[in-house]
């Protein structure tokens, strides 16, 4: 079976870049990305794309209007497509059963219902690209087969996405593996072959793994759980390092040289953020609990427990070092995105840190090179963060540069590892700050010896500079 037209429901961080690369690498396929949000589609059709991702602009400019289209005409796109990706959001439920843990599958179900209502004829391959609980494909399939229309046939595949934000284009172009799960029947294998053929335009065949649907769905949750578990493992060593005088970077280097452990994802930090890790682990925990696997649930949940502890520990450290009071003190938050090279702030450690400092009535001067002012204000005004939104207006200012934010500050807090923060002129920064001037390096990216020689008081994750500074008895 040859695929001529592909449609993707959801023009977000996954749907947009994935389809752009597909169009770029498959000139023989027409790719249309649709979304319910008119604003998002308008942005995809404009000069300022709705997401910042290195290399994305060039790819979109090259293909848009040729074989890559962004539209709100969902019905037409579904009708005409041979293959339909579902790449909609699957956030953690905020209500009812599974509140705070289970994935909210509302958008996936609505997408499936849109498809079944719209399709009038033909064999359609529906691909679950969103990250979902195990067996979600079964629910999608049940919905798709709930209306028996003559001449209509569906096959559902699982094709989870492994791109990381900030490196999405490279990750998509040079994927270490593509995973396709499907029914092990002749029709299922036909569908797997058709999707595999698309990827083979640029991914070597041996990197395309095919398997049953449920293994594919679980592999996605497992991959994110393993990655996050590594970060929590290294972060769990940071208080030990601070107490004993060891340096967590040296420990990471030493253990990472063991090829069985490997060196990646061992960067200690103020805590992992992003829209995926916490959500997907909570989802895994919920599935385990639902199946009565309490010990397994507790094991994976501990990854989140350590991450929360790490965020809380760092903000307490700031308060503690600033003489146990930050009320009315200006503190510069450098970086608000959950990692560098993205403007995405979902679950960013900076949000939680800012909340703790606002709870102490600190005045926050925030700067991030890629996050919009309104996004920062919205994040901090969210009811989970600020019960009283007027508090944000009173305590928070947003700035155009690190120096503007640093002016008159008692402390700089590095929350995101942006390269430009490493290159700052810290002598200039020191001059414009209150004294004693503190640096809290939550990403362990700065030259701490150089900062100390300028006159800064320095604190970082997993390394002790000040003998008396580290014992925190109150958390
Ligand atoms: P997102 O919120 O950026 O985008 C989802 C889009 O889907 C939104 O624009 C929304 O308006 C749209 N949408 C919802 N229902 C729709 C419908 N019925 N028809 C058309 N559009 C609809 O989300 P995202 O970050 O792109 O994530 C999408 C999925 O991919 C999630 O399941 C996520 O867990 C998974 N994922 C995300 C990443 C990542 O780095 N962000 C990586 C791998 C997997
Ligand atoms: C993650 C997975 O990497 C990706 O495969 C999946 O498809 C989606 O979820 P993403 O969340 O975009 O990608 O970014 P990632 O690079 O994994 O970073 C997540 C968080 O962990 C960030 O806050 C990052 O700063 C933090 N991190 C990462 C660390 O604190 N230490 C590390 O060593 C690596």
């Amino acid at each position: 079976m040859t695929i001529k037209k592909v449609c993707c429901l959801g023009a977000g961080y996954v749907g947009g870049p994935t389809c752009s690369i597909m169009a770029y690498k498959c000139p023989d396929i027409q790719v249309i990305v649709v979304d319910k949000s008119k604003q998002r589609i308008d942005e995809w059709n404009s000069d300022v794309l709705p997401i910042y991702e290195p290399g994305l602009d060039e790819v979109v400019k090259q293909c848009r209007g040729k074989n890559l289209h962004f539209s709100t005409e969902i019905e037409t796109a579904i009708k005409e497509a041979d293959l339909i990706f579902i790449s909609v959001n699957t956030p953690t439920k905020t209500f009812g059963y599974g509140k705070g843990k289970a994935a909210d599958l509302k958008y996936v179900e609505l997408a499936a219902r849109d498809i079944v209502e719209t399709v009038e004829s033909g064999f359609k391959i529906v691909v679950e690209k969103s990250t979902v609980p195990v067996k979600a494909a079964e629910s999608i399939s049940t919905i798709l087969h709930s209306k028996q229309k003559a001449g209509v046939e569906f096959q559902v595949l699982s094709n989870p996405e492994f791109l990381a934000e900030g490196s999405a284009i490279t990750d998509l172009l040079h994927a270490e593996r593509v995973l396709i799960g499907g029914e092990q029947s002749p029709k299922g294998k036909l569908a797997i072959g058709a999707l595999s053929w698309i990827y083979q335009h640029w991914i070597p065949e041996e990197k395309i793994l095919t398997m049953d649907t449920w293994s594919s769905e679980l592999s996605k949750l497992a991959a994110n759980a393993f990655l996050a578990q590594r970060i929590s493992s290294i972060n769990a060593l940071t208080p030990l390092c601070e107490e004993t005088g060891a340096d967590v970077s040296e420990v990471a280097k030493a253990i990472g040289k063991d090829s069985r452990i490997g060196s990646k994802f061992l960067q200690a930090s103020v805590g992992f953020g992003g829209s995926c890790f916490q959500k997907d682990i909570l989802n895994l925990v919920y599935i385990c609990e639902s199946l009565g696997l309490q010990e397994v649930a507790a094991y994976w949940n501990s990854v989140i427990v350590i991450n929360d502890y790490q965020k809380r520990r760092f903000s307490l450290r700031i308060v503690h070092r600033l003489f146990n009071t930050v009320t009315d003190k200006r503190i510069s938050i450098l970086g608000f995105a959950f990692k560098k090279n993205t403007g995405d702030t979902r679950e960013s450690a900076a949000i939680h840190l800012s909340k703790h400092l606002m709870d102490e009535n600190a005045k926050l001067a925030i700067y991030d090179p890629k996050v919009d002012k309104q996004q920062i204000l919205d994040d901090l005004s969210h009811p989970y963060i600020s019960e009283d939104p007027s508090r944000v207006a009173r305590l928070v200012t947003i700035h155009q540069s690190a120096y503007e934010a640093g002016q008159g500050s008692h402390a700089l807090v590095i929350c995101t590892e942006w390269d430009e923060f490493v290159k700052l002129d810290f002598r200039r920064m020191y001059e414009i700050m209150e004294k004693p001037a503190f640096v809290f390096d939550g990403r362990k990216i700065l030259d701490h010896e150089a900062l100390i020689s300028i006159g800064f008081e320095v604190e970082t994750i997993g390394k002790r500079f000040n003998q008396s500074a580290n014992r925190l008895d109150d958390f």
Side-chain angles (χ1 to χ4, degrees), residues 296-350:
V296 187
Y299 174 76
W300 289 114
N301 195 52
S302 68
V303 174
I304 306 278
V305 170
I306 289 291
N307 200 46
D308 289 343
Y309 165 78
Q310 187 75 340
K311 291 184 273 189
R312 201 168 62 243
R313 206 171 71 82
F314 195 59
S315 43
L316 271 164
R317 181 111 154 268
I318 296 170
V319 177
H320 177 65
R321 282 292 274 135
L322 292 178
F323 314 104
N324 288 315
T325 173
V326 290
T327 301
D328 288 336
K329 281 183 183 162
R330 180 169 162 122
I331 298 180
S332 304
I333 303 290
L334 299 188
F336 205 77
F338 80 96
K339 62 186 278 197
K340 74 173 179 180
N341 292 335
T342 179
D344 194 353
T345 61
R346 290 178 288 180
E347 290 300 334
S348 176

Side-chain angles (χ1 to χ4, degrees), residues 162-163 165 220 265 267 269 272-273 277 338-339 443:
F162 295 102
L163 68 78
E165 287 178 33
K220 174 62 197 175
F265 263 65
Q267 173 67 43
S269 66
F272 61 74
F277 282 169
F338 80 96
K339 62 186 278 197
R443 293 292 186 157

